[in-house]
Amino acid sequence: MHALPELLVPVGSPDKLTTALRYGADAVYLGGQALSLRAKTDGFSFSQLRDAVKLAHAGGTKVYFTLNLLAWEEHLPGVETYLEELAGIDVDGLIIADPGIMSMAMKRVPHIPIHVSTQVSTSNSATAAFWRDLGARRVNVARELGAARIRAMVRKVPDLEFEVFVHGAMCMAVSGRCLLSSHLTRRSGNLGQCTHPCRFDYKVTAVRLEERLRPGEDTWEIQCDGEFSQVMAAEDLCLIKYVNWFRKNGVASLKIEGRMKTPSYLAQVTDVYRTALDDLAAGTFRPGLYLEELQQLATRPLTSAFFTPQSVTLLPALSRSLTKNIVGRLVEPAGDDCWIMDVKHRFETGSPLEILFPGLRRPVLGAGDYGVENAEGERLSTVHGGMRVMLRCAYPGLEAGMFLRAHHPGVYNSQAG
């Protein structure tokens, strides 16, 4: 039996790094403040990157730096600058898509392993071997591959690490190489500026195709149930049920999508996949529990996408009335059984709350288990998103960076321990 795959999670800012570490990432991937494929994230300055690497390495977590733009000529001087700085920073890998940037990196920072980005769309063993022969240590396979093709690649190129996206948003284009954003808004998805027009609401006015040699037969037609619809939006990927398959077939790393997601989203998804991997090692795998937790975060249906012979919709997105809103995040202790807390969503202070402990532990705080005060020490009955308040709570094990969310009686609740 192979070792457990690495859990690789996205970190779009220093704040999200602490969340990833708290909830169990084995490795994180992050970018600078330019030249990565997530231009809307804060990114990391070189100083912040050095601090991030030290913090991650102190807990045994690896850091992979993304330099995976498909560069234009004018980007090359900036790439040179990044490589010069990275030469003195102990990152564990460089995620690269452009062959020219890969060549530059191998000359200027040969000590940093190269990981080939999903943007390259590696879809067969010959291509994987090509990247290995050029010096790459790892490839992220194309998102359009099914289980049988991934297995064949791993077996035929055993001296290369394989990384697979297992959770998050899917793109309407092959491995994310889309020109729709460039066409509509002049912002290139291949330079990290995608405006996600595939998820815009469109009004279908006239889309019906008839192929020349098939007269009278509708080859392709789009129908709109309402006035507007997301006719190009893909469902979200979710392969939590298949983590044992990845271990048995020697996949090195399971990758979560979402450098632009919120810290609370990152906390919950990381916690689910970390717990699933740990449960797998302990022989206590609970796929139903993991899916219920992930459904809390889903804004689109969760699907197996291309991984299975036919795409399987695992769960629909929940209605808002069933979603457990994240209501707060603990900032720092403020005395015995007292915490400064940033409020993320409005809630009544008499309502029950769940604490998001790592390991999918979700104990419930009843009305008498906590209190909320303002800066003047006055008890509050209602708090609103954006407020900073004082939480009085004696529950053991609370730590800075943990989240609290609403508890809905009648909706599932993970083990409270």
Side-chain angles (χ1 to χ4, degrees):
M1 180 65 70
H2 295 279
L4 285 179
E6 166 191 89
L7 177 59
L8 174 57
V9 306
V11 171
S13 66
D15 179 48
K16 295 175 186 177
L17 174 64
T18 59
T19 298
L21 299 180
R22 174 162 303 287
Y23 285 93
D26 293 314
V28 299
Y29 63 102
L30 49 80
Q33 295 177 330
L35 302 183
S36 77
L37 283 190
R38 289 297 179 268
K40 288 186 178 180
T41 63
D42 295 335
F44 288 73
S45 67
F46 293 124
S47 175
Q48 289 171 328
L49 179 59
R50 290 185 179 89
D51 292 340
V53 170
K54 291 178 182 177
L55 179 63
H57 284 179
T61 302
K62 295 181 178 180
V63 178
Y64 306 138
F65 189 83
T66 59
L67 202 58
N68 58 339
L69 77 160
L70 299 177
W72 290 332
E73 188 66 28
E74 59 266 29
H75 295 134
L76 297 181
V79 172
E80 292 273 10
T81 299
Y82 264 90
L83 293 175
E84 290 173 3
E85 292 286 345
L86 289 167
I89 302 176
D90 193 21
V91 296
D92 299 283
L94 281 178
I95 301 174
I96 294 175
D98 191 306
I101 294 177
M102 181 176 176
S103 176
M104 294 166 66
M106 295 180 68
K107 292 175 182 176
R108 291 160 177 78
V109 286
H111 61 289
I112 303 179
I114 300 296
H115 295 186
V116 178
S117 171
T118 188
Q119 295 295 112
V120 173
S121 306
T122 301
S123 56
N124 60 73
S125 59
T127 303
F130 169 82
W131 292 117
R132 176 206 60 196
D133 294 344
L134 284 182
R137 178 176 296 183
R138 174 185 293 188
V139 297
N140 183 292
V141 303
R143 303 189 201 198
E144 296 73 36
L145 295 186
R149 289 178 174 137
I150 295 173
R151 181 194 295 117
M153 291 173 66
V154 175
R155 290 179 177 177
K156 291 181 179 180
V157 195
D159 50 352
L160 182 68
E161 294 180 1
F162 287 87
E163 177 183 283
V164 180
F165 270 106
V166 295
H167 196 90
M170 295 285 287
C171 183
M172 65 172 291
V174 176
S175 292
R177 300 181 69 163
C178 181
L179 297 177
L180 192 56
S181 182
S182 297
H183 173 66
L184 286 180
T185 63
R186 297 295 185 268
R187 296 178 61 180
S188 172
N190 293 324
L191 295 175
Q193 300 166 344
C194 185
T195 54
H196 303 291
C198 59
R199 298 189 180 100
F200 292 175
D201 292 326
Y202 292 92
K203 182 177 182 179
V204 178
T205 56
V207 182
R208 178 179 172 273
L209 300 181
E210 180 181 294
E211 198 270 328
R212 182 177 183 178
L213 299 180
R214 294 169 178 81
E217 177 182 331
D218 289 346
T219 303
W220 187 49
E221 183 178 10
I222 293 179
Q223 296 179 344
C224 188
D225 294 333
E227 186 176 1
F228 290 89
S229 65
Q230 296 178 346
V231 296
M232 291 182 286
E235 295 177 325
D236 280 357
L237 177 66
C238 177
L239 299 183
I240 190 70
K241 291 175 61 177
Y242 308 103
V243 295
N244 192 39
W245 184 95
F246 292 110
R247 178 176 69 161
K248 289 194 300 183
N249 285 280
V251 171
S253 182
L254 306 184
K255 191 170 188 177
I256 309 297
E257 181 274 337
R259 270 189 283 161
M260 297 173 66
K261 296 288 190 178
T262 64
S264 62
Y265 174 93
L266 178 64
Q268 293 171 92
V269 174
T270 302
D271 193 25
V272 170
Y273 278 84
R274 171 79 276 144
T275 303
L277 287 167
D278 292 345
D279 285 353
L280 183 62
T284 57
F285 196 66
R286 300 166 289 170
L289 173 63
Y290 315 139
L291 284 169
E292 287 176 330
E293 185 77 12
L294 292 172
Q295 191 181 27
Q296 285 292 321
L297 307 170
T299 56
R300 290 178 289 274
L302 299 176
T303 176
S304 63
F306 299 98
F307 184 75
T308 51
Q310 290 186 333
S311 179
V312 177
T313 298
L314 303 171
L315 287 171
L318 287 175
S319 67
R320 292 186 64 86
S321 63
L322 296 176
T323 300
K324 301 178 180 182
N325 294 314
I326 294 292
V327 299
R329 184 183 190 186
L330 302 182
V331 178
E332 60 184 10
D336 293 339
D337 301 331
C338 193
W339 290 86
I340 295 174
M341 183 175 78
D342 284 339
V343 181
K344 303 298 183 181
H345 195 278
R346 179 187 181 278
F347 71 99
E348 306 293 330
T349 58
S351 59
L353 302 177
E354 298 176 11
I355 307 171
L356 272 62
F357 279 106
L360 280 182
R361 292 180 296 132
R362 304 290 185 259
V364 178
L365 299 176
D369 297 327
Y370 73 96
V372 181
E373 302 173 357
N374 61 18
E376 288 72 39
E378 300 168 329
R379 294 294 291 264
L380 301 174
S381 58
T382 304
V383 292
H384 299 271
M387 295 176 64
R388 175 164 283 192
V389 298
M390 195 77 71
L391 175 74
R392 294 194 178 276
C393 179
Y395 200 92
L398 293 177
E399 295 182 11
M402 288 184 177
F403 292 88
L404 281 74
R405 73 181 182 190
H407 172 70
H408 293 183
V411 178
Y412 95 97
N413 190 55
S414 303
Q415 61 184 11

